[in-house]
């Protein structure tokens, strides 16, 4: 890689070009151009049904796009020849509903993919898992099963699970939307730490405070298109487009 | 004159108990106890050296062995069928569906006769265990059809987010099924599979029609033989004994099922 401050567009972490996606007769993504640089934190906001989660899910092919191109670190994930499992192991995803494995304790949740996908030794996997549990503030919970954790704790375990794969980037799909309000803070705190360490992040969220404080870029989607994007502090304070204005006036 | 509600309830309950007690007393008085005892509870059957010996050491033992084989084989085949039924390849889905519908629609006894006499003779096939083995193969074939549907439902009951999380961590489809989906699916289907096990225990009695070598007999067959021979010959005592032995095996299992079902409901 060259020593330029911003990697050129072809080596962007995520580079989406003219993405179209329909569910049956409903077109949810109508030509999206979207890109995330290495080390950048991009927050995606918009009303429900705007296509923001679908965009995120297309990046690691949980949804297949109808047309367009998605490059992850230069690799075309829509190409049938691409080893998706390898690409996915470099992309950490955190879901709204946590999706921890309920039949495994916390430690096993963090080590299973390390051992089966990354082929790490059990010892090494456990070491990495413990370090990440400490990072999310849950040391000592190794042997607990997910059902015995609060939502906020489960989500932090989910973040630690993703981090244990040493991902190049992290995608967050409304990570705090399913949480009781008093549990949101701990999760956002962990995400802020990650951002400060230079993690590349794409965050679909309703947390405007987080976007303003941590985001390098804010993208506002509505009706399957990107309506407005730019510096979060600028967009949130002075939205240019009237749909952005209408949305922000409702949520702020 | 209006009765208080609690009084009224007590009166109603009192009447109901009185009817029950009256019925029990009438039955006890009307019944021909000596005949019942002589025909169904002949003391030679119960008091050592009675006929419990063969019923337990051969009958119960073989019943449990046949059930275990049929269950293990049926479960293995059912797993293949369930995965076929959920396969992205349409031909596999059709094959599995055809198999399941076919064997669920037939009496187990008919399949058993077909395997033990039809297939063995037509193809000069000697399965391990002889015709008994062929009969057990029939139990496997029929049982797997039911268990496949149970497993499929269990696999589909695992939330979609589990697959997404596993795939997002880079696990292959096969690895996801093995490590994440099946362990959760099995947990969900333990109660219905235990029911399936109980049904199989009872279905092994159908092997009776095939006939056994003496040491191969299962519980019902031995009980049938003791109708004509042994210390309780000429009475139905051995059938009562077999019933007791079946219940000793099945009742704890059905209790276990309701316990597991209750626990699953709580943990949801």
């Amino acid at each position: 890689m060259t020593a330029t401050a911003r990697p050129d567009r072809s080596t962007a972490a995520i580079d989406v070009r003219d993405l179209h996606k329909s569910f049956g007769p409903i077109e949810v993504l109508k030509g999206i151009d979207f890109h995330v640089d290495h080390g950048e934190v991009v927050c995606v906001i918009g009303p429900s049904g705007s296509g923001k989660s679908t965009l995120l899910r297309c990046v690691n092919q949980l949804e297949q796009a109808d047309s367009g191109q998605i490059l992850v670190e230069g690799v075309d994930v829509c190409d049938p020849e691409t080893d998706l499992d390898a690409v996915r192991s470099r992309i950490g995803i955190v879901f709204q509903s946590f999706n921890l494995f309920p039949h495994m304790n916390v430690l096993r949740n963090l080590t299973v993919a390390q051992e089966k996908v990354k082929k790490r030794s059990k010892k090494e996997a456990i070491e990495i898992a413990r370090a990440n549990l400490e990072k999310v503030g849950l040391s000592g919970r190794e042997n607990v099963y997910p059902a015995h954790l609060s939502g906020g704790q489960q989500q932090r375990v989910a973040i630690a699970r993703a981090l244990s794969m040493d991902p190049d980037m992290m995608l967050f799909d409304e990570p705090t939307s399913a949480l009781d309000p008093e549990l949101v803070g701990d999760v956002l705190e962990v995400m802020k730490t990650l951002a400060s360490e230079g993690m590349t992040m794409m965050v679909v969220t309703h947390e405007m405070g987080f976007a303003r404080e941590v985001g390098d870029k804010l993208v506002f989607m509505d009706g399957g298109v990107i309506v407005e994007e730019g510096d979060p502090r600028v967009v949130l304070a002075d939205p240019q487009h009237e749909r952005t204005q209408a949305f922000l006036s409702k949520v702020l | 004159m209006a009765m208080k509600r609690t009084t009224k309830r007590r009166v109603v309950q009192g009447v109901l108990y009185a009817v029950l007690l009256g019925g029990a007393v009438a039955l006890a008085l009307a019944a021909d106890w000596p005949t019942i005892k002589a025909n169904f509870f002949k003391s030679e059957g119960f008091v050592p050296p009675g006929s419990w010996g063969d019923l337990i050491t051969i009958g119960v033992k073989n019943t449990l062995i046949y059930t275990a084989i049929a269950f293990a084989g049926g479960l293995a085949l059912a797993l293949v069928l369930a995965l076929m039924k959920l396969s992205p390849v349409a031909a596999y889905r059709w094959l599995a569906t055809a198999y399941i519908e076919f064997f669920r629609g037939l009496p187990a006894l008919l399949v058993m006769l077909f395997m033990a006499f039809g297939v063995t003779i037509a193809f000069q096939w000697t399965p391990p265990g002889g015709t008994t083995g062929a009969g057990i193969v029939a139990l496997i074939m029929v049982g797997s059809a039911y268990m496949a549907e149970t497993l499929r439902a269990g696999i589909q009951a695992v939330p979609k987010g589990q697959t997404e999380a596993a795939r997002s961590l880079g696990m292959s489809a096969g690895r996801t099924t093995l490590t994440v989906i099946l362990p959760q699916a099995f947990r969900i289907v333990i109660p219905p599979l235990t029911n399936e096990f109980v049904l199989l225990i009872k279905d092994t009695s159908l092997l009776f029609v095939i006939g056994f070598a003496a040491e191969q007999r299962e519980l019902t067959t031995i009980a049938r033989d003791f109708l004509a021979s042994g210390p309780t010959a000429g009475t139905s005592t051995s059938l009562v004994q077999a019933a007791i032995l079946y219940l000793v095996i099945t009742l704890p299992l059905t209790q276990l099922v309701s316990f597991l079902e209750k626990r699953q409901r709580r943990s949801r």
Side-chain angles (χ1 to χ4, degrees), chain A residues 57 88 99-103, chain B residues 161-162 164 167-168 179 184:
Chain A
R57 291 162 60 83
R88 281 170 169 160
N99 295 347
L100 294 178
F101 305 133
H103 58 302
Chain B
Q162 292 291 309
E164 294 185 348
R167 298 307 302 273
S168 297
T179 311
Q184 295 187 57

Side-chain angles (χ1 to χ4, degrees), chain A residues 44-48 50-56 174 202 204 206 221:
Chain A
V44 184
I45 61 169
S48 61
S50 59
K52 54 194 194 303
S53 282
T54 306
L55 171 62
L56 180 143
E174 303 199 28
M202 172 181 179
V204 171
H206 294 291
M221 284 181 71

Side-chain angles (χ1 to χ4, degrees), chain A residues 57 60 62 85 88-89 91 93 95 99-104 112-113 116-117 161-162 165, chain B residues 160-173 175 179-181 183-184 187 267:
Chain A
R57 291 162 60 83
N60 89 335
L62 286 178
D85 292 342
R88 281 170 169 160
S89 71
I91 307 174
I93 285 212
F95 299 92
N99 295 347
L100 294 178
F101 305 133
H103 58 302
M104 301 176 185
V112 63
K116 306 293 184 193
V117 179
R161 176 174 70 177
M165 298 297 284
Chain B
K160 196 162 152 266
Q162 292 291 309
T163 305
E164 294 185 348
R167 298 307 302 273
S168 297
L169 288 165
M171 291 189 200
S172 65
R175 169 56 64 191
T179 311
V180 175
I181 305 304
Q184 295 187 57
R187 217 157 286 205
S267 71

Side-chain angles (χ1 to χ4, degrees), chain B residues 11-200:
Chain B
V11 169
V12 169
Q13 282 195 356
V15 170
L16 287 174
Y17 275 117
V19 169
L20 185 68
L21 191 67
V25 168
L27 196 66
L29 291 176
D32 182 354
W33 289 110
T35 306
I36 290 175
K37 181 167 187 312
N39 280 289
F40 299 105
F41 297 97
K42 196 176 180 200
S43 56
E44 280 84 343
F46 294 94
V47 184
S51 52
W52 283 113
D54 282 358
L55 282 169
I56 294 173
T57 55
I58 300 176
V60 171
K61 187 190 81 180
N62 283 336
T63 288
L64 288 179
I65 290 174
Y66 298 157
T67 306
I69 295 171
F71 186 75
L75 190 60
L77 186 52
L79 185 57
V80 175
L81 287 166
L83 292 175
M84 279 171 74
K85 215 169 167 183
L86 297 170
S87 162
V89 182
Y92 280 128
R93 293 199 300 273
W94 295 332
L95 270 174
T97 305
Y99 179 97
I100 290 166
E101 294 308 322
F102 185 78
F103 282 104
R104 285 203 306 181
L106 293 177
L109 186 55
L110 185 76
V111 179
M112 203 175 267
L113 291 171
F114 189 81
M115 291 306 294
F117 301 127
V119 177
T120 46
I121 291 167
F123 300 111
Q124 300 293 306
W125 173 51
T126 320
T131 45
T132 309
I136 293 172
V137 169
L139 283 179
I140 290 174
M141 291 161 77
V142 176
S144 68
Y146 287 95
M147 286 193 264
E149 280 297 275
T150 305
L151 285 180
R152 181 195 53 76
I155 290 170
Q156 286 182 321
V158 177
K160 196 162 152 266
Q162 292 291 309
T163 305
E164 294 185 348
R167 298 307 302 273
S168 297
L169 288 165
M171 291 189 200
S172 65
R175 169 56 64 191
T176 300
T177 304
L178 213 60
T179 311
V180 175
I181 305 304
L182 286 183
Q184 295 187 57
F186 270 113
R187 217 157 286 205
I188 294 168
V189 299
I190 283 174
L193 277 188
T194 310
N195 272 328
E196 209 58 56
F197 190 82
V198 170
L199 290 178
L200 267 177

Side-chain angles (χ1 to χ4, degrees), chain A residues 48-93:
Chain A
S48 61
S50 59
K52 54 194 194 303
S53 282
T54 306
L55 171 62
L56 180 143
R57 291 162 60 83
C58 279
V59 170
N60 89 335
Q61 292 290 288
L62 286 178
E63 305 287 354
Q64 270 85 47
D66 298 333
S67 69
Q69 210 179 17
I70 304 167
L71 302 176
V72 174
E73 300 180 316
V75 177
D76 184 355
V77 296
C78 302
D79 183 346
E81 298 293 307
T82 300
D83 180 1
L84 263 188
D85 292 342
V87 175
R88 281 170 169 160
S89 71
R90 296 199 302 271
I91 307 174
I93 285 212

